[in-house]
Amino acid sequence: MTDAAQTFDDLAIADPTSTFGGIWRSGVLAALSWAAAALITVGLPDVVPWGSAKLFAGLTAGAAAVFLVLSFVVQRLGRAGEVLRHYGPWFVAVGVWLALWELATAKFGWLPKPFFSPPHGILNVYVTDGPRLLLCIVYTLRLWSLGFLSGIVVGYGAGVALGWSKPFAYWGMPLLKLIGPVPATAWIPVTFYFFPTTFGASIFIVALASGIPVAILTASGVGSVSRAYYDVGRILGARSWYLIRRVAIPAAMPHVFVGLFMALYYSFAVLVVAEMLGAKYGLGWYIQFQTAYSGYANVYAAIIIMAVLCAGIVRLLFVVRDRLLRWQEGFI
Amino acid sequence: MAEAAPLPLAADTDSLAGGGTAVDVRAVSHQFRLSGARLPVLDGIEFSAEPGEFVALLGPSGCGKSTLLRLIAGLERPTAGEIAVGGRPVDRPDPSRILVFQDPTLFPWASVRQNVTTGLEARGVLKQERGRVGEALALVGLAGFADAYPHQLSGGMAQRVALARALVNDPALLLLDEPLGKLDSLTRLTLQTELVGLWQRNGFTALLVTHDVEEALLLASRIVVFSDRPARINAEFRFDKPYPRHRDAPDLVAMRRRILGALGFAT
């Protein structure tokens, strides 16, 4: 027991996420790298002015100060401290990255305007164009959530029907297999005819992109449920409806979640295109609009927002999955 | 094996003591269709069990005994012949006759309690009979595991849950398809004893498929010996001895020799 504890301590010291002499090493290094980024930003002049340099330097210097304080107190923060320590090397790396990024773009001009932007250039976009970006986020989330939710609801229903009912599978599966590989965006001409508004057409494109993977995976999930489970259900007096609800659907859940993750990525991918259909606001619209005017800093700013939104939603789906598929633990 | 005495008739588990029913299998033959070819598995099976009787169906692995249980359970219809349980022809599954498989086949997405609840819920009687779920779990000694998930259970515990899931419906006929076949030998001994206890206190008719002669002799009062596929009935032995039985009792050893002889093993 003591031996094991000893080994564990040795490992902890060798680990860069650990503390040394009561001081969190990565925290100190992160403070240094972020301070360097701050100094570079204010100390050297921009080749071409970008704006918000002082604000950026202030923020990075603030972060450096926080890391410095954390270096001494992180051990007392319990669970949160552990998480911080785990990401210590990342904090250092991000500071270094910001410093190099500043040098390569704004300070030495190796990566020139307008194709590249220093971090404070992107910050400047948030400062000067913030309200419009917020509106774009709201529009994009509205389009995405309406499209994604309607897509997965219809896709899920269709998938259960296809997996359960032989007639449905006979007529539906060939159609689904035919339509499935066609990119959702290829249907744009048709959607213009069927949908009175461009917003409706955009929702349909996102819904189609999300619905098809959910339908295919749900159908295969329901279809591959072991017959033994149905036998047990029938022996215990279950009729079809009960077997669908209590056997087929929960048994297919792991497949359904694979479909949902695919649906998430597809829906994000078509979002930009869907917002081409005469949208007035939206991150995809913003990216196209700014690209046309060579506002690449604005494009990067929007891309970062999109990436963070996508990652957040993916994370959320993981949380839901881990709750619903708790029963799978041990044999995933 | 001294604890093989009948389990005490605790007052709070009384509602699970239902009584047994008669089984009549008349000239049943069955074939599988495998890619066009016909594979006969049962050939003119004829036997019956009285209400409350414990009958073992003994035969080589893969001889068709399990198919016979599926037919009696109503999961499949025989190619020829008739099966009646309690005087009524079997044409579909019914929770009054429950088949317990060699694999516990618990629903992995449902907790132990939800698994045991399945039969009551499927029949829409859960509201009135919810109390039975706890009784059934107590009966198999798993009262504390109601909220566990199947992946957290050992093989023996999982099979106990499968038994509770059957018994909660108060079946008049319990069809046991090598339910102890995949368990380790010590768990097996324990569950054999418990099975006898459950049978004695609930009074259901039990048909046990097994290829273990000793298990048949420890549990059953009658042993039907099947031939290799297509299965026919080769011999029947009556073994009306009191419980608990001991595997090394002289009469059991003698009977085992006779049965092994009937199975074609000279001893």
Side-chain angles (χ1 to χ4, degrees):
Chain A
M1 192 63 211
T2 43
D3 277 358
Q6 190 65 47
T7 325
F8 187 77
D9 278 350
D10 290 346
L11 279 175
I13 287 168
D15 183 356
T17 64
S18 76
T19 55
F20 191 74
I23 298 171
W24 178 37
R25 238 178 356 179
S26 301
V28 175
L29 290 174
L32 286 175
S33 67
W34 285 71
L39 282 175
I40 289 168
T41 310
V42 284
L44 298 173
D46 284 3
V47 177
V48 188
W50 284 92
S52 294
K54 290 215 173 93
L55 176 62
F56 181 73
L59 288 175
T60 41
V66 170
F67 283 124
L68 196 63
V69 173
L70 281 174
S71 307
F72 295 93
V73 301
V74 79
Q75 276 170 310
R76 272 171 260 157
L77 296 181
R79 183 84 189 88
E82 267 173 50
V83 175
L84 284 173
R85 276 156 65 181
H86 175 76
Y87 287 107
W90 267 102
F91 297 140
V92 181
V94 170
V96 171
W97 165 253
L98 289 174
L100 292 177
W101 186 0
E102 278 292 342
L103 288 174
T105 53
K107 306 309 174 186
F108 295 145
W110 296 332
L111 302 171
K113 197 174 183 176
F115 303 103
F116 297 94
S117 160
H120 65 270
I122 293 174
L123 180 65
N124 194 46
V125 172
Y126 295 137
V127 171
T128 55
D129 212 8
R132 187 155 62 153
L133 276 168
L134 271 181
L135 200 60
C136 285
I137 293 174
V138 172
Y139 268 71
T140 294
L141 281 181
R142 185 179 65 153
L143 168 60
W144 175 80
S145 49
L146 286 173
F148 183 74
L149 289 180
S150 56
I152 62 172
V153 166
V154 173
Y156 181 66
V160 171
L162 288 167
W164 180 264
S165 144
K166 288 217 170 83
F168 255 100
Y170 177 81
W171 293 105
M173 260 331 216
L175 287 178
L176 192 61
K177 280 178 184 160
L178 213 60
I179 294 171
V182 178
T185 46
W187 299 101
I188 287 174
V190 191
T191 56
F192 271 133
Y193 178 77
F194 283 108
F195 288 89
T197 64
T198 50
F199 186 58
S202 305
I203 292 178
F204 175 76
I205 297 291
V206 176
L208 193 66
S210 343
I212 283 176
V214 172
I216 291 176
L217 268 296
T218 305
S220 87
V222 170
S224 64
V225 176
S226 163
R227 203 178 66 130
Y229 293 135
Y230 293 133
D231 282 347
V232 168
R234 288 171 61 207
I235 282 171
L236 295 172
R239 299 295 166 87
S240 294
W241 184 233
Y242 187 90
L243 292 178
I244 292 176
R245 277 192 312 127
R246 294 294 179 152
V247 180
I249 284 178
M253 261 307 155
H255 281 84
V256 174
F257 269 95
V258 176
L260 283 175
F261 279 106
M262 290 170 66
L264 261 186
Y265 288 113
Y266 287 149
S267 66
F268 290 139
V270 299
L271 208 49
V272 177
V273 187
E275 284 178 343
M276 278 200 296
L277 310 182
K280 288 191 193 70
Y281 287 104
L283 291 168
W285 165 84
Y286 189 86
I287 288 171
Q288 291 167 59
F289 178 81
Q290 295 294 349
T291 308
Y293 288 90
S294 300
Y296 294 113
N298 302 60
V299 172
Y300 297 133
I303 289 175
I304 290 173
I305 294 177
M306 255 193 161
V308 170
L309 280 182
C310 298
I313 293 170
V314 168
R315 179 90 202 98
L316 207 66
L317 190 60
F318 266 111
V319 172
V320 173
R321 186 200 68 164
D322 290 347
R323 277 200 67 82
L324 284 181
L325 297 188
R326 217 175 12 183
W327 55 270
Q328 254 199 332
E329 270 175 301
F331 64 92
I332 292 188
Chain B
M1 301 305 291
E3 62 278 17
L7 293 174
L9 282 167
D12 63 338
T13 57
D14 253 8
S15 64
L16 293 180
T21 186
V23 181
D24 284 292
V25 177
R26 293 281 155 258
V28 163
S29 297
H30 196 64
Q31 306 175 329
F32 286 144
R33 259 176 225 145
L34 288 176
S35 53
R38 281 156 190 272
L39 179 71
V41 281
L42 296 171
D43 181 18
I45 304 294
E46 184 105 23
F47 90 96
S48 53
E50 287 161 30
E53 201 179 8
F54 201 134
V55 182
L57 312 180
L58 192 70
S61 282
C63 77
K65 313 175 298 266
S66 302
T67 306
L68 181 59
L69 285 199
R70 288 180 68 85
L71 297 178
I72 299 173
L75 285 173
E76 284 158 53
R77 304 287 292 274
T79 318
E82 275 169 33
I83 296 172
V85 172
R88 296 166 65 177
V90 170
D91 54 1
R92 62 170 157 184
D94 187 281
S96 68
R97 39 192 152 80
I98 291 190
L99 177 52
V100 177
F101 298 92
Q102 183 174 24
D103 284 311
T105 331
L106 302 178
F107 298 147
W109 52 85
S111 69
V112 165
R113 186 199 315 279
Q114 290 163 335
N115 265 290
V116 175
T117 307
T118 305
L120 301 178
E121 194 186 33
R123 285 183 290 141
V125 296
L126 182 57
K127 267 200 185 128
Q128 306 89 291
E129 320 233 352
R130 190 180 291 277
R132 286 170 163 271
V133 176
E135 291 172 22
L137 279 172
L139 210 55
V140 297
L142 287 177
F145 289 86
D147 296 316
Y149 278 84
H151 75 260
Q152 298 168 311
L153 305 177
S154 69
M157 288 158 85
Q159 199 55 280
R160 283 198 180 94
V161 175
L163 280 171
R165 178 171 68 178
L167 294 175
V168 78
N169 303 291
D170 199 10
L173 172 62
L174 198 59
L175 303 161
L176 300 155
D177 187 1
E178 294 192 49
L180 313 180
K182 281 192 176 167
L183 302 178
D184 66 88
S185 50
L186 291 177
T187 311
R188 214 180 149 119
L189 294 183
T190 319
L191 273 176
Q192 283 169 349
T193 312
E194 289 179 15
L195 213 48
V196 169
L198 292 171
W199 167 67
Q200 286 181 319
R201 85 174 275 311
N202 286 30
F204 49 76
T205 310
L207 294 186
L208 169 77
V209 157
T210 180
H211 55 252
D212 180 344
V213 179
E214 197 171 85
E215 183 167 285
L217 286 169
L218 283 171
L219 300 179
S221 53
R222 194 149 58 88
I223 292 125
V224 180
V225 178
F226 285 76
S227 72
D228 217 337
R229 200 180 55 232
R232 291 189 198 87
I233 292 179
N234 261 3
E236 267 194 50
F237 299 90
R238 190 158 277 286
F239 192 63
D240 270 326
K241 301 292 174 192
Y243 302 88
R245 296 173 180 173
H246 297 274
R247 61 198 66 246
D248 43 7
D251 49 358
L252 194 146
V253 174
M255 183 56 95
R256 182 169 62 194
R257 190 172 299 133
R258 285 179 59 195
I259 294 175
L260 283 172
L263 282 165
F265 296 94
T267 47

